[in-house]
Amino acid sequence: MTASTDNAATRRGFGIDVGGSGVKGAVVDLDTGQLIGERFRLPTPQPATPDNVGDAVAAVVHEFGWTGPLGVTYPGVVVGGTVRTAANVDKSWIGCNAQDVFSAKLDGQPVTILNDADAAGLAEARFGAGRGVSGLVVLLTFGTGIGSAVIYNGVLLPNTEFGHIEVDGKEAEHRAASSVKERKEWSYERWTEEVTKVLIAVENAICPDLFIAGGGISKKADKWIPLLKNRTPVVAATLLNTAGIVGAAMAADTATNH
């Protein structure tokens, strides 16, 4: 993504994407979805406890001198700011109010917390592959697991966990995450058989108008999306590694101004 032109009319937000390996943040142009300047990244601290991750988030914010509201993604289920699951971070997150943790590290700055796939879905729906698409859009991120986001006419249905639905006796992400392809050394043809099964299971449940495929493997979408045999159109995500940051900034703006 190219940096937007810096001018007085630019509506700015700030987003941080917390992942299993990195904590990444940037200033976002809320009207274009582009980053203003470069993003800044720190390794996710180990152990990835609330206190340690909170320090990393604060360090990213201070790098930019950002003092207003901000959005932060979390790699799991978050309800009302409280963490319910912890797959790729320390289990001590469960039951923790992440909003309070981050805000305390930032001297009370307003913080909006949301699931990382939900953030990516918001960004793709407004600025990326889902732009201009009405109806029901489902983003699935294929990586170590499978993350999901459901957007209906621009409105997010938070905390869907389609990666954990059972498909032919096995969790979807244990069947069709890109990590499974790598571990089993499958061809794209073999792997897309499993992806197709997962997509059909989701279609049978909610019948989306569009699937957006995200995660690192979406960069090679031309090698596998044409092989899928499900009913619903599937397109590759376009914002790539900025989607979480952009979506987090969008969520903070919505929480602050709406």
Side-chain angles (χ1 to χ4, degrees), residues 206-221:
I206 63 171
C207 200
D209 295 291
L210 179 71
F211 280 115
I212 299 174
I217 201 164
S218 66
K219 296 174 186 175
K220 298 177 180 178

Side-chain angles (χ1 to χ4, degrees), residues 1 11 29-34 120-139 151-155 209-213 235-239 246 250:
M1 307 244 345
R11 285 199 318 121
D29 184 327
L30 293 169
D31 294 317
T32 67
Q34 294 181 327
L122 285 173
E124 287 288 341
R126 183 176 302 177
F127 300 114
R131 184 173 184 173
V133 178
S134 59
L136 192 60
V137 176
V138 175
L139 169 85
I151 314 285
Y152 181 67
N153 289 336
V155 178
D209 295 291
L210 179 71
F211 280 115
I212 299 174
V235 297
T238 59
L239 296 182
V246 173
M250 289 169 57

Side-chain angles (χ1 to χ4, degrees), residues 73-233:
T73 75
Y74 172 81
V77 174
V78 184
V79 179
T82 299
V83 170
R84 302 298 187 199
T85 65
N88 296 311
V89 290
D90 195 82
K91 300 301 182 189
S92 60
W93 276 100
I94 297 174
C96 172
N97 189 307
Q99 205 159 292
D100 290 349
V101 168
F102 295 136
S103 187
K105 296 284 187 179
L106 293 164
D107 299 323
Q109 279 175 251
V111 178
T112 299
I113 308 292
L114 72 163
N115 172 268
D116 53 354
D118 283 347
L122 285 173
E124 287 288 341
R126 183 176 302 177
F127 300 114
R131 184 173 184 173
V133 178
S134 59
L136 192 60
V137 176
V138 175
L139 169 85
L140 295 175
T141 58
F142 295 91
T144 304
I146 297 177
S148 62
V150 175
I151 314 285
Y152 181 67
N153 289 336
V155 178
L156 172 70
L157 175 67
N159 292 314
T160 56
E161 290 285 313
F162 288 147
H164 299 302
I165 63 173
E166 187 175 300
V167 180
D168 290 347
K170 185 180 290 188
E171 274 196 19
E173 65 179 29
H174 296 160
R175 180 176 292 284
S178 64
S179 60
V180 176
K181 177 186 182 299
E182 293 169 14
R183 187 173 68 252
K184 298 194 174 184
E185 298 182 344
W186 281 345
S187 65
Y188 284 107
E189 289 79 5
R190 176 67 186 88
W191 179 63
T192 52
E193 291 177 14
E194 303 302 323
V195 176
T196 294
K197 291 176 185 177
V198 170
L199 297 182
I200 289 173
V202 175
E203 288 172 337
N204 290 343
I206 63 171
C207 200
D209 295 291
L210 179 71
F211 280 115
I212 299 174
I217 201 164
S218 66
K219 296 174 186 175
K220 298 177 180 178
D222 59 318
K223 296 182 182 294
W224 62 273
I225 286 181
L227 303 175
L228 296 169
K229 295 180 171 61
N230 62 299
R231 305 185 296 271
T232 306

